[in-house]
Amino acid sequence: MATRLRSVLSKHGNKAAAAAAAATTFTAASAVTFLSGDVVHPLHLPWDHTGFLSSYDCASLRRGFQVYRQVCATCHSLERIHYRELVGVTHSTEELVAMASEVEVVDGPNDEGEMFERPGKLTDALPKPYPNEEAGRAANGGALPPDLSLMVKARHAGQDYLFSLLTGYCEAPAGKPMMPGLYYNPYFPGGAIAMPPPLNDGGVDYEDGTPATISQQAKDVVQFLNWCAEPEADERKKSAAQYMLVLGFTALMTGYYKRFKWSPYKTRSITYIK
């Protein structure tokens, strides 16, 4: 076998070396794939707002913001979202002014150089659950709950992964040991997650009377988080439709002008007389 391998290498040289490198790479990739076999990959779900000409469902965004405020905001922040950005999306200006005024915001310094508290305003960001990272880790056994502003774009499969994660809690299979304080979720890498199941049937009373099942709450809050990551998506689609309409009209007029300009030359007849 060794003699045959030496003869192949001496005969083919670089080609054999390249093939060996490719085989090594494939083996390493296969090993990585097998090592991540304990993770269930989320299915692709038919989200209504992902179409080229579709938009966010404002009723679902309002419900999703309610789920975030009453469930997710106890541990997770939305540092990049301000109250003013929610105007006309989830609530009216009056509703958001009243909502922001319920929060005490540390501001300052004042004329005496001291910090003070004031009622929140539309220009303020949504409040954080913890004053700093150390407090967040101390309250969650050393694990810092991540900010959710860009969570849909920060995870592979985005909203499909978040929906599957929120609805995928179950009992650990036989032979899968779980450390105290961890919960089994097959969609989380490793299967053990420190976040307890956040959603429960009827855990939120929707204002519009929609049944607050776990899947409904997950759908609404994931769509809201998708809006947080891409609040300009609807405007971008509208602008793209306008640009394509203008480009189509320009192409049509260019073709018509080309035919009009060249028609005398293409239809003329040239006769040569001796």
Side-chain angles (χ1 to χ4, degrees), residues 166-206:
L166 292 174
T167 59
Y169 286 88
C170 60
E171 293 292 333
K176 177 70 174 180
M178 299 297 297
M179 297 179 60
L182 298 181
Y183 304 86
Y184 180 71
N185 193 314
Y187 296 98
F188 189 77
I193 183 172
M195 180 178 69
L199 304 178
N200 298 287
D201 288 329
V204 175
D205 292 329
Y206 281 140

Side-chain angles (χ1 to χ4, degrees), residues 55-223:
S55 62
Y56 290 113
D57 181 6
C58 288
S60 181
L61 293 180
R62 184 184 179 99
R63 294 193 299 266
F65 181 52
Q66 181 180 353
V67 175
Y68 167 76
R69 288 187 66 202
Q70 297 184 11
V71 179
C72 308
T74 57
C75 297
H76 298 274
S77 61
L78 282 176
E79 297 179 355
R80 299 178 181 271
I81 303 299
H82 301 72
Y83 285 104
R84 67 174 183 272
E85 296 164 348
L86 298 172
V87 175
V89 178
T90 62
H91 295 76
S92 63
T93 302
E94 293 75 15
E95 290 174 323
L96 288 170
V97 168
M99 193 181 301
S101 63
E102 298 174 356
V103 180
E104 294 295 327
V105 179
V106 178
D107 202 349
N110 55 17
D111 296 337
E112 299 177 355
E114 297 180 352
M115 306 299 289
F116 61 93
E117 291 187 351
R118 59 165 177 81
K121 301 182 294 186
L122 284 180
T123 54
D124 294 325
L126 296 182
K128 300 179 181 180
Y130 307 107
N132 49 61
E133 291 188 6
E134 289 72 15
R137 294 183 186 278
N140 293 276
L144 178 65
D147 180 76
L148 300 181
S149 301
L150 300 175
M151 185 56 62
V152 171
K153 302 178 74 67
R155 295 293 183 268
H156 179 68
Q159 48 201 351
D160 295 333
Y161 166 75
L162 292 182
F163 181 87
S164 300
L165 183 71
L166 292 174
T167 59
Y169 286 88
C170 60
E171 293 292 333
K176 177 70 174 180
M178 299 297 297
M179 297 179 60
L182 298 181
Y183 304 86
Y184 180 71
N185 193 314
Y187 296 98
F188 189 77
I193 183 172
M195 180 178 69
L199 304 178
N200 298 287
D201 288 329
V204 175
D205 292 329
Y206 281 140
E207 301 172 353
D208 58 0
T210 302
T213 61
I214 292 180
S215 58
Q216 182 66 49
Q217 295 176 61
K219 171 185 176 295
D220 293 334
V221 74
V222 169
Q223 185 165 176

Side-chain angles (χ1 to χ4, degrees), residues 11-48:
K11 182 181 299 183
H12 297 282
N14 294 334
K15 292 182 179 180
T24 304
T25 304
F26 176 77
T27 303
S30 301
V32 173
T33 303
F34 293 149
L35 288 175
S36 62
D38 59 343
V39 178
V40 178
H41 299 283
L43 298 176
H44 178 66
L45 302 175
W47 297 94
D48 296 334

